Amino acid sequence: GLCQGMVLLCFMKAISLTLVARVVGVKRLSILFSIVIGAVVFREQEVHHRFVAASIMLLGVLVMTMA
């Protein structure tokens, strides 16, 4: 609860400081961190499929950010 509230406050502050597309692009990087933590800490299998899918999604975010 408290952490989620802090995330929301930081997200809103970041949006007020820069372009929304850039903030969303950085926020979407959390997917890669989640995949890496799942592989390293929880020893999940078949992580490469998730990594490929997340990379495609992040590529789309990058394209939107650069436009």
Side-chain angles (χ1 to χ4, degrees):
L2 180 63
C3 290
Q4 190 66 20
M6 291 300 297
V7 167
L8 182 62
L9 288 174
C10 290
F11 184 73
M12 292 301 174
K13 181 63 177 176
I15 287 176
S16 72
L17 295 175
T18 189
L19 297 173
V20 173
R22 291 187 180 155
V23 175
V24 171
V26 170
K27 187 174 185 234
R28 295 296 174 220
L29 287 175
S30 67
I31 293 171
L32 290 180
F33 292 125
S34 298
I35 293 170
V36 169
I37 289 171
V40 173
V41 175
F42 299 114
R43 309 239 186 250
E44 291 183 358
Q45 302 298 316
E46 305 295 328
V47 177
H48 60 279
H49 294 298
R50 292 184 190 119
F51 186 75
V52 170
S55 297
I56 292 170
M57 188 175 84
L58 289 173
L59 183 63
V61 171
L62 180 66
V63 168
M64 289 187 328
T65 303
M66 300 303 261

